[in-house]
Amino acid sequence: MVAGWFAGDGNDFRLLGTRCSACASVFFPREDTHCRNPGCPGGELVEVALSRRGRVWSYTDSRYRPPSPYVTDPELSWEPRALIAVELAAERIVVLGQSVPGVTVADLTVGMEVEVVPGVLNEDAETTWTTWHWRPTGVTA
């Protein structure tokens, strides 16, 4: 995953975005060069930890193996994953991500509360690549 997009562990795990000091627009993925708001005169971009919880704005499932540069072993069977677009009300943005393993589209409804948690994108004998997942609140899997 991309360095600087998230930090922390367990309950301290957060996605990291940036906020423009001039217009207060929040960006994720982070923006480090200029404010993307076309009506903004531009301001300093400051790193901000995004809300841990949001509401499902939309969702679907991935029924295909993603293409490169996604790391995947073509010898292994492909397991569909739910993809969730989550609205973070305080930041006024929608962030896309996978559900935690075991949560399918049958478990999701628009408007339900979810929280961001650390997840594993890929691992080998030397390295575990971490990403974020969305988990319905109250689920401990």
Side-chain angles (χ1 to χ4, degrees):
M1 286 306 298
V2 180
W5 282 19
F6 50 83
D9 293 314
N11 289 336
D12 293 327
F13 185 81
R14 300 292 283 266
L15 294 176
L16 301 174
T18 49
R19 180 185 315 273
C20 176
S21 61
C23 70
S25 294
V26 177
F27 305 103
F28 184 85
R30 61 184 301 125
E31 176 59 64
D32 291 314
T33 56
H34 65 279
C35 180
R36 294 190 299 238
N37 178 349
C40 179
E44 180 183 0
L45 296 166
V46 180
E47 183 175 273
V48 293
L50 303 181
S51 300
R52 289 197 70 241
R53 293 182 175 204
R55 300 230 171 248
V56 174
W57 184 76
S58 185
Y59 59 92
T60 190
D61 58 354
S62 61
R63 292 274 171 194
Y64 65 94
R65 185 183 305 272
S68 181
Y70 185 84
V71 179
T72 183
D73 184 345
E75 299 299 318
L76 298 176
S77 63
W78 173 249
E79 294 290 327
R81 294 294 294 270
L83 302 175
I84 309 173
V86 176
E87 181 178 23
L88 303 178
E91 292 85 357
R92 299 177 54 195
I93 61 174
V94 174
V95 176
L96 186 65
Q98 292 182 339
S99 67
V100 294
V103 170
T104 69
V105 293
D107 303 312
L108 301 171
T109 59
V110 170
M112 87 182 320
E113 187 179 57
V114 293
E115 61 189 341
V116 68
V117 295
V120 174
L121 177 66
N122 191 33
E123 57 188 331
D124 61 25
E126 294 87 33
T127 307
T128 298
W129 290 270
T130 304
T131 188
W132 69 92
H133 288 154
W134 295 108
R135 176 178 67 193
T137 56
V139 174
T140 58

